């Protein structure tokens, strides 16, 4: 491939530029696009498309970089992978083997984390609406911490813990009213967001928690949003968190743990990726002198760059004269929801080395679902691709497969994990008959059927 040069502002990065910052990907003259040591056409030949592919090597490398950044400060943190980013057992197992814990937000995620071999003592339960059965399951499992998000939830948890005869280790999740500077749908630390306890009520509620039966307050938690690439919002939020620690201790209360949240962003297009070293410095600078245990909850930063979605061009559709053509893919918004939900940008690279160096053109990249929002990008500058060409949508390892649906009666895509020169199917493509396997028809419906031969 030609040497990559940075794109001009507003210009889509070239294939070479996208590859240059994704070390697990390479383009071979004969094999085409290769992930680690596996040609992606080999997977597409065997399984068809759309197909998700995860890189185990990328998960390990990014986890180690994150852990190393915090060790370098002299204050290692406990790393809890945000399971909502990617809940596949194989992904969780790879990260667990590196030492990762889990941050879960539902009873289902709790069970997945345990099934993947993550010890209960390394699991934190977050989320604004935990049910009583979920609280019971968390307490019975003996997880490390429950991040409580409201006074009302605290009272409910106290009731559940008493009934179970157990003690709930609790951190109060604080809403610091800090703008993370990210997309409105993934910011979580503003006063208008549903998450967390208002900052000005935190000290009193912590004191109240210490009086409740079945509750053992251990610390505070904070998460201000996702896809954050600047450190100033973190520093502002952590400085406010440090002030709360001092105010709580001034009341004679014990506090031993701080959960600093996640949200570190990646480079989808040409953004400057959030650096673990900078995050470690921000946490160490604002919180390192408080003598507490520290934890973080990364999701996207660990898993996002590890995943791809393989797809095939069904056809090129001409639009109005003078308008870019539509590249209609066999992948759709039911597979990858992020572009439709957040107007998110994902890099697109042909699997063929020949296609990768074809003349560039402007196209609209869309899926086949019957929604105008089923689009992966308008006016995208891409190498020319004809019907039958295969491509990879990049950086889909977080909030990709986990958000998929079967809308338009489209079965869930197959999933694969690559590790060095090996690859394996980690979830078979859903059979179309599975779409209605759990459906049932009430017996009285048959009585209302029209006579045979009826029509419009």
């Amino acid at each position: 491939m030609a040497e990559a040069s940075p794109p001009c502002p507003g210009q889509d990065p070239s294939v070479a530029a996208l590859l240059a910052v994704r070390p697990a990907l390479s383009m071979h003259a004969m094999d085409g696009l290769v992930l680690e040591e596996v040609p992606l056409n080999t997977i597409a030949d065997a399984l068809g498309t759309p197909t998700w592919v995860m890189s185990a090597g990328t998960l390990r490398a990014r986890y180690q970089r994150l852990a190393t950044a915090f060790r370098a400060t002299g204050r290692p943190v406990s790393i809890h992978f945000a399971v909502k980013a990617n809940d596949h057992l194989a992904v969780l197992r790879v990260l667990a083997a590196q030492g990762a814990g889990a941050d879960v937000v539902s009873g289902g995620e709790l069970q997945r984390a345990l099934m993947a071999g993550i010890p209960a003592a390394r699991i934190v339960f977050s989320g604004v609406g935990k049910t009583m059965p979920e609280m019971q399951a968390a307490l019975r499992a003996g997880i490390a911490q429950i991040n409580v998000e409201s006074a009302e939830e605290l009272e409910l948890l106290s009731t559940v813990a008493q009934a179970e005869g157990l003690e709930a280790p609790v951190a109060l999740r604080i809403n610091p009213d800090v703008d993370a500077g990210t997309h409105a749908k993934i910011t979580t630390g503003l006063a208008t967001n549903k998450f967390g306890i208002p900052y000005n009520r935190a000290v009193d509620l912590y004191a109240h928690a210490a009086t409740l039966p079945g509750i053992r307050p251990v610390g505070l938690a904070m998460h201000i949003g996702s896809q954050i690439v600047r450190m100033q919002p973190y520093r502002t939020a952590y400085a406010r968190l440090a002030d709360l620690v001092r105010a709580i201790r001034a009341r004679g209360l014990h506090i031993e743990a701080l959960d600093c949240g996640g949200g570190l962003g990646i480079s989808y297009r040409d953004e400057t990726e959030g650096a673990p070293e900078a995050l470690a410095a921000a946490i160490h600078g604002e919180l390192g002198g408080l003598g507490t245990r520290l934890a973080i909850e990364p999701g996207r930063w660990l898993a996002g760059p590890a995943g791809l979605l393989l797809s095939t061009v069904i056809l090129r559709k001409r639009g109005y004269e003078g308008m870019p053509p539509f590249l209609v893919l066999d992948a759709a918004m039911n597979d990858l929801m992020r572009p439709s939900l957040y107007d998110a940008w994902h890099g697109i690279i042909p699997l063929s080395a020949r296609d990768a160096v074809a003349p560039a053109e402007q196209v609209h990249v869309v899926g086949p679902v019957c929604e105008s929002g089923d689009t992966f990008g308008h006016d995208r500058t891409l190498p020319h691709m004809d019907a039958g060409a295969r491509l990879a949508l990049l950086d889909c390892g977080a909030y990709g497969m986990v958000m998929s649906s079967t809308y338009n009666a489209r079965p869930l895509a197959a999933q694969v994990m690559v590790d060095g020169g090996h690859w394996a199917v980690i979830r078979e493509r859903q059979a179309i008959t599975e779409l209605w396997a759990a459906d049932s028809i009430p017996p009285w419906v048959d009585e209302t059927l029209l006579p045979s031969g009826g029509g419009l």
Side-chain angles (χ1 to χ4, degrees), residues 38-73:
V38 176
L40 291 170
N41 268 316
T42 299
I43 296 172
D45 286 343
L47 302 179
T49 59
T51 293
W52 301 95
V53 186
M54 287 294 293
S55 163
T58 301
L59 289 171
R60 293 190 194 99
R62 293 182 75 83
Y63 183 90
Q64 288 304 321
R65 181 183 167 192
L66 190 64
T68 298
F70 281 92
R71 280 198 298 268
T73 67

Side-chain angles (χ1 to χ4, degrees), residues 13-27 33-35 40 51-54 266-269 300 303-311 329 336 338-339 344-351 376 380 382 391-400:
S14 66
V15 169
L18 290 169
L19 290 173
V21 292
R22 290 164 175 82
L25 283 172
S26 57
M27 186 67 74
L33 189 62
V34 174
L35 179 63
L40 291 170
T51 293
W52 301 95
V53 186
M54 287 294 293
I266 65 174
S267 178
Y268 286 101
R269 188 179 185 185
R300 183 194 314 268
L308 307 169
L309 176 59
L310 305 184
S311 185
L329 308 185
L336 180 61
R338 295 191 68 256
W345 193 98
H346 285 266
I348 298 174
I349 296 182
L351 265 57
F376 296 113
R380 289 290 298 268
L382 294 172
L391 54 86
L393 290 104
L394 306 183
D395 305 314
C396 298
Y399 308 105

Side-chain angles (χ1 to χ4, degrees), residues 220-236:
L220 301 174
M222 186 177 285
H223 178 67
I224 60 173
S226 187
Q227 189 52 15
I228 302 168
V229 296
R230 297 184 304 111
M231 290 302 111
Q232 189 53 53
Y234 282 125
R235 287 190 174 276
T236 301

Side-chain angles (χ1 to χ4, degrees), residues 293-350:
R293 292 183 284 107
L294 298 172
I296 55 173
E297 302 168 0
R300 183 194 314 268
W301 194 89
L302 286 173
L308 307 169
L309 176 59
L310 305 184
S311 185
T312 300
V313 178
I314 297 174
L315 53 83
R316 290 175 61 92
K317 180 180 182 294
R318 268 179 53 188
Y320 278 95
E321 203 67 36
M323 301 289 287
F326 293 90
L327 284 188
V328 184
L329 308 185
D330 63 356
M333 64 184 288
N334 74 290
D335 299 303
L336 180 61
M337 176 65 77
R338 295 191 68 256
S340 177
L341 190 60
Y342 307 124
D343 296 320
W345 193 98
H346 285 266
I348 298 174
I349 296 182

Side-chain angles (χ1 to χ4, degrees), residues 76-168:
V77 303
S78 182
I79 300 173
H80 301 270
F81 175 64
V83 175
K84 61 181 175 288
N86 191 314
D87 67 3
H88 196 286
L89 293 179
V91 170
L92 300 181
R93 183 67 65 88
V94 167
L95 291 171
Q98 298 299 300
D103 167 58
V104 304
V105 295
S106 72
E109 287 190 354
L110 171 60
Q111 293 305 315
R112 276 187 171 271
L114 292 170
M115 282 291 296
I118 297 175
R122 293 187 58 78
I123 297 176
V124 172
F125 201 140
S126 303
V128 72
K130 306 175 194 72
T131 65
M132 291 181 71
E134 287 175 328
M135 291 176 178
Q136 289 169 340
L139 291 171
R140 291 171 184 174
I143 70 168
Q145 181 175 298
I146 298 176
N147 290 347
V148 167
E149 303 218 12
S150 66
E152 295 80 3
E153 182 187 357
L154 186 63
E155 297 292 339
L156 182 60
L157 180 59
S158 174
T159 299
V160 173
Q162 285 183 83
E164 292 292 315
L166 296 169
E167 187 178 62

Side-chain angles (χ1 to χ4, degrees), residues 151-303:
E152 295 80 3
E153 182 187 357
L154 186 63
E155 297 292 339
L156 182 60
L157 180 59
S158 174
T159 299
V160 173
Q162 285 183 83
E164 292 292 315
L166 296 169
E167 187 178 62
V170 164
L172 299 186
R173 177 176 174 178
I174 309 305
N175 183 319
D177 195 20
V178 169
D179 187 354
T182 188
H183 192 286
K185 290 184 179 180
I186 53 175
T187 188
T188 60
L190 289 172
T192 53
N193 299 141
K194 68 180 181 179
F195 299 97
I197 294 158
Y199 185 86
N200 58 2
R201 299 181 200 161
V203 177
D204 287 342
L205 189 58
Y206 196 92
H208 177 61
T211 70
L212 289 176
I215 300 295
R216 177 168 59 90
V218 297
L220 301 174
M222 186 177 285
H223 178 67
I224 60 173
S226 187
Q227 189 52 15
I228 302 168
V229 296
R230 297 184 304 111
M231 290 302 111
Q232 189 53 53
Y234 282 125
R235 287 190 174 276
T236 301
Y238 295 151
R240 301 204 80 194
L241 193 61
D243 288 342
L244 282 182
V245 172
R246 287 186 278 267
I248 286 168
R249 286 175 172 169
R251 296 271 289 265
L253 300 166
H254 176 71
I255 182 166
E256 64 187 64
L258 293 177
D259 184 339
C260 303
L264 194 62
I266 65 174
S267 178
Y268 286 101
R269 188 179 185 185
D270 52 9
E271 310 94 325
T272 300
E273 181 172 88
E277 297 79 10
L279 178 62
I283 290 175
H284 181 69
E286 303 297 337
L287 304 173
L290 296 174
T292 61
R293 292 183 284 107
L294 298 172
I296 55 173
E297 302 168 0
R300 183 194 314 268
W301 194 89
L302 286 173

